[in-house]
Amino acid sequence: MITSLRRDVEPLADDELNAIVRSLLGDQYLEQFDLVIASGGTLSGFTHAYSDLDLYALPREGVTVGGRLESIDNLIVQVNIIDPLDFEQIVDTYRSFRMTREDKAQIHSHLRWRKLGSRLVSGRVVAATDLGTRVRSNLSAEVYRRLVMTCGA
């Protein structure tokens, strides 16, 4: 284990996170996005030399934006734009998960979305419209756990 890469830092406070989001997405970001979720070790304070902050943003209908990578106060921040169709498929996968001992057809249904699904389930909600809150409520951490554990077993 390379311990020199690990660095413990203070977890990113909500006001610091909000300032970063505003600087990257603008003060009126809820006019452009239904959901913004932050993820990564920087949020919890457990980081390594290559840690960054990931923002996942779901654009509102009719809004076209691109992702980007920026450095803010020596912190690399990656803005990931979630394709609304991909997001809908992820939500449908989680909402319809009904695998049983006899029917294991859904075991691999989440593989395409494993990384993004984990970030959406475990990340910190920075901002959400009513629609964003409603659709994220369908992303159950328990379903994600079952998908990962079943697929890995």
Side-chain angles (χ1 to χ4, degrees), residues 4-6 25 28 51 58-59 61 76 78 83 85 87 90-91 97 99 105 109-110 122-123 128-129 143:
S4 63
L5 292 179
R6 181 181 162 190
L25 302 180
Q28 305 300 318
S51 291
L58 177 65
E61 189 173 332
I76 301 297
Q78 184 172 356
D83 182 287
L85 295 176
F87 187 74
I90 293 169
V91 169
F97 183 74
M99 193 186 78
S109 63
H110 80 293
S122 65
T129 62
V143 169

Side-chain angles (χ1 to χ4, degrees), residues 48-59:
H48 54 78
Y50 305 107
S51 291
D52 64 354
L53 174 65
D54 295 302
L55 298 177
Y56 294 90
L58 177 65

Side-chain angles (χ1 to χ4, degrees), residues 14 69 95:
D14 286 341
L69 186 69
R95 188 177 22 227

Side-chain angles (χ1 to χ4, degrees), residues 119-136:
R119 302 312 194 267
L120 295 175
V121 166
S122 65
R124 187 188 308 174
V125 175
V126 178
T129 62
D130 288 342
L131 174 64
T133 300
R134 209 169 38 255
V135 293
R136 186 173 186 266

Side-chain angles (χ1 to χ4, degrees), residues 65-129:
V65 292
R68 63 183 185 268
L69 186 69
E70 297 206 18
S71 178
I72 298 176
D73 294 330
N74 294 320
L75 173 64
I76 301 297
V77 182
Q78 184 172 356
V79 178
N80 303 280
I81 303 303
I82 306 168
D83 182 287
L85 295 176
D86 289 348
F87 187 74
E88 188 176 312
Q89 289 181 353
I90 293 169
V91 169
D92 286 345
T93 296
Y94 279 66
R95 188 177 22 227
S96 66
F97 183 74
R98 302 283 186 272
M99 193 186 78
T100 65
R101 190 175 301 206
E102 295 77 30
D103 178 12
K104 297 183 179 181
Q106 289 183 305
I107 283 179
H108 299 289
S109 63
H110 80 293
L111 289 179
R112 180 175 178 200
W113 316 115
R114 185 183 302 189
K115 179 179 177 181
L116 180 57
S118 72
R119 302 312 194 267
L120 295 175
V121 166
S122 65
R124 187 188 308 174
V125 175
V126 178
T129 62

